[in-house]
RNA sequence: GCCCCGGUAGUGUAGUGGCCUAUCAUCCGAGCCUGUCGAGCUCGGGACUCGGAUUCAAAUUCCGGCCGGGGCGCCA
């Protein structure tokens, strides 16, 4: 054989009928009927059938019926029109090569009639990902990320890559992963927050990063990962947070829209996606508290929304016809130190929520170094630990703001996936460090 | 970090002191079968998370470890 593959299963057309073609992939199933045997061969596009008759090709027949499921093979054969085969054609093998033999039994069935637990699937993620419905999640993920690049570049954002190994924790407070950096102590970045802010002092004005977030919090839920990804955006010369919210809602809309265009994948997942209306509803924190209290929540002003409250609000907003909505003007005391205060007790901050789940969190930032130091102290942190960050504010820092937008959370809500671990290839959670 | 629940063949499960030489399906192996497509049929294979305790007797009760699931807090 000159090549292992010159057609994918679903790319075969009527023009190929009667011709020699070469296909390759994984043996999904073998059905040996005695004098005739079928192989269901799977590649990234779908499956096709290889049909072998014992009397015509006894040698190939013998090899075919002996192969184990999920082995990798390449087959050259006659592409024959057939009403009995699902794709309308089948391959009559002339040459047959086993590229890799799968051991038996499989740790996880690809097309078995029993479900497997998520833990088993994650332990054998490479097999789990052979399922088209699992692949569909990541194909949609690719499409979403492509839309992030498309949209933000169309708005003249510059893509950046900031360090993941950093000297101080990004936002203080929450747990960070410690590591040894030669003779020094370092941390894994909780987010690119401090660096994307420093970049606002450069004149790049608009930056974004598809960033890794590392969080050492010992949570054990279906909504949390210790290593996750996000779209981080920061932009300068803004008058207020509304300018950032406009970018965010357009970004979210574009991501949602792009996902809705993944017809094949959505069909595999049996999902339908309807587009939200722009602009998204803005609700002030004060009004959120009122709404929640009216519905029986005991939340007091000044508290952050708990999980139950977030879900309740999601329901309330849904009833009012809003899937996506912003919660704005949070009390300054429940926001991180870099958040721009407003009036006495509020802040120029916002969260983007969808159906009771927080997708993104952002704000206008403080650009005055003295105010920033004051806020750092007020949050029980030491300005000395933030010296290299603060330096960026001393030699000309324009007003700026931005947000972080969790990609896995977004996918989860988009596709109604109940466990966030399904939305990332190799999840890192409280106990999982492999694969 | 706190609380609740669980761990039985490769994968999923049934079994809550003796009916267990542990159920069923899937899977794996052998055989039959010329159109399968959740193929069918026959035969075979394979498991009680680990350590300790209670008991005449433990998959089953108790204690501890390990592993897993869920919730809360925190967050994205």
């Amino acid at each position: 054989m000159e090549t292992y593959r010159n057609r994918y299963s679903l790319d075969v057309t009527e023009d190929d009928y009667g011709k020699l073609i070469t296909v390759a992939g994984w043996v999904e199933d073998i059905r040996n009927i005695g004098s005739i045997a079928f192989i269901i061969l799977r590649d990234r596009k779908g499956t096709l059938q290889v049909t072998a008759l014992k009397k015509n090709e006894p040698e190939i027949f013998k090899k075919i019926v002996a192969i184990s499921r999920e082995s990798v093979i390449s087959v050259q054969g006659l592409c024959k029109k057939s009403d009995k085969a699902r794709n309308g054609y089948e391959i009559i093998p002339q040459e047959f090569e086993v590229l890799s033999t799968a051991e038996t039994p499989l740790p996880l069935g690809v097309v078995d009639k029993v479900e497997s637990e998520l833990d088993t699937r994650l332990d054998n993620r490479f097999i789990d990902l052979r399922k088209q419905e699992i692949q569909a999640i990541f194909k949609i993920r690719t499409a979403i990320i492509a839309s992030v690049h498309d949209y933000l570049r169309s708005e003249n954002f510059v893509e950046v890559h900031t360090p993941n190994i950093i000297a101080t924790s990004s936002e203080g407070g929450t747990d960070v992963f410690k590591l040894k950096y030669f003779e020094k102590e370092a941390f894994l970045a909780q987010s690119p927050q401090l660096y994307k802010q420093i970049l606002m002092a450069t004149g790049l004005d608009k930056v974004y990063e598809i960033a890794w977030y590392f969080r050492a919090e010992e949570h054990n839920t279906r909504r949390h990962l210790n290593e996750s990804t996000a779209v981080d955006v920061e932009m300068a010369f803004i008058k207020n947070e509304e300018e950032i919210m406009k970018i965010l809602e357009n970004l979210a809309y574009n991501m949602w829209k792009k996902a809705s265009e993944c017809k094949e994948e959505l069909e595999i997942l049996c999902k339908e996606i309807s587009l939200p209306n722009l602009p998204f509803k803005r609700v002030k924190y004060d009004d959120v508290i009122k709404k929640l209290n009216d519905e029986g929540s005991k939340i007091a002003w000044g508290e952050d929304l708990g999980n139950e409250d977030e879900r309740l609000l999601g329901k309330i907003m849904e009833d009012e016809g809003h899937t996506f909505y912003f919660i704005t003007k949070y009390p300054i005391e429940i926001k991180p130190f870099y958040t721009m205060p407003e009036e006495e007790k509020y802040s120029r901050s916002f969260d983007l929520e969808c159906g009771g789940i927080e997708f993104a969190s952002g704000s206008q930032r403080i650009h005055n170094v003295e105010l920033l130091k004051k806020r750092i102290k007020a949050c029980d942190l030491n300005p000395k630990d933030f010296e290299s960050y603060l330096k960026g504010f001393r030699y000309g820092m324009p007003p700026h703001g931005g947000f972080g937008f969790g990609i896995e959370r977004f996918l989860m809500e988009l596709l109604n996936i109940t466990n966030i671990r399904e939305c990332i290839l190799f999840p890192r959670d409280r106990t999982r460090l492999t694969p």
Side-chain angles (χ1 to χ4, degrees), chain A residues 260-274:
Chain A
S260 75
E261 289 163 5
C262 297
K263 299 275 185 252
E264 272 175 42
E265 287 76 21
L266 291 172
E267 200 170 304
I268 288 167
L269 293 166
C270 304
K271 295 280 186 305
E272 277 178 39
I273 294 175
S274 51

Side-chain angles (χ1 to χ4, degrees), chain A residues 9 25 51-52 92 105 120 137 139 147 171 173 178 195 219 235-236 255 257 322 327 337 357 370 373 387 421:
Chain A
S9 55
T51 304
I92 312 300
T120 308
I137 296 170
K139 287 178 183 168
S147 79
E171 302 170 32
K178 256 185 215 169
Y195 285 89
H219 35 47
M235 53 198 280
M255 289 163 78
K257 183 162 181 285
H322 309 293
I327 303 174
F337 67 78
I357 293 208
E370 290 311 318
K373 273 157 80 176
E387 198 36 51
R421 281 163 257 233

Side-chain angles (χ1 to χ4, degrees), chain A residues 26 42 70 102 106-108 110 120-131 134-135 425-426 435:
Chain A
W26 285 261
R42 183 187 65 247
E70 294 304 318
L106 295 164
L108 182 71
V110 178
T120 308
R121 290 172 40 210
L122 292 175
D123 279 340
N124 302 281
R125 194 60 152 153
F126 59 97
I127 296 182
D128 189 43
L129 279 156
R130 291 179 191 179
K131 301 172 193 162
I134 309 297
Q135 286 190 3
L425 287 171
F426 299 103

Side-chain angles (χ1 to χ4, degrees), chain A residues 292 305 308-320 322-323 325 353-357:
Chain A
L292 287 172
L305 270 63
E308 218 173 285
D309 287 321
E310 253 187 332
R311 272 198 298 267
L312 178 60
L313 182 66
K315 265 193 74 186
I316 296 170
M317 297 306 290
E318 178 120 38
D319 291 345
E320 292 179 16
H322 309 293
T323 339
Y325 49 92
E353 309 251 334
C354 174
I357 293 208

Side-chain angles (χ1 to χ4, degrees), chain A residues 100-216:
Chain A
S100 171
T101 302
E103 289 179 22
T104 58
L106 295 164
L108 182 71
V110 178
V111 288
D112 286 8
K113 292 149 204 160
V114 288
E115 292 288 307
S116 303
E117 287 190 352
L118 182 59
D119 192 51
T120 308
R121 290 172 40 210
L122 292 175
D123 279 340
N124 302 281
R125 194 60 152 153
F126 59 97
I127 296 182
D128 189 43
L129 279 156
R130 291 179 191 179
K131 301 172 193 162
Q132 58 174 5
E133 66 272 23
I134 309 297
Q135 286 190 3
I137 296 170
F138 293 95
K139 287 178 183 168
I140 291 171
R141 189 184 157 113
T142 296
I144 287 171
I145 290 176
S147 79
V148 170
H149 290 298
D150 289 347
Y151 173 66
L152 291 175
R153 285 176 189 189
S154 78
E155 293 285 337
N156 293 314
F157 279 83
V158 175
E159 185 178 9
V160 299
H161 297 95
T162 61
N164 282 323
I165 303 171
I166 61 174
T168 48
S169 59
S170 306
E171 302 170 32
T174 50
D175 294 322
V176 288
F177 287 107
K178 256 185 215 169
L179 59 101
K180 259 185 77 180
Y181 191 75
F182 305 109
E183 67 280 0
K184 290 176 186 159
E185 187 179 61
F187 305 93
L188 288 181
Q190 201 188 313
S191 80
Q193 183 63 33
L194 306 188
Y195 285 89
K196 62 178 186 168
Q197 280 194 263
I198 291 171
L199 286 171
M200 292 302 94
T202 62
L204 286 173
D205 283 3
K206 293 168 149 189
V207 302
Y208 77 101
E209 176 168 5
I210 308 290
W212 280 108
Y213 284 12
F214 301 96
R215 311 243 159 135

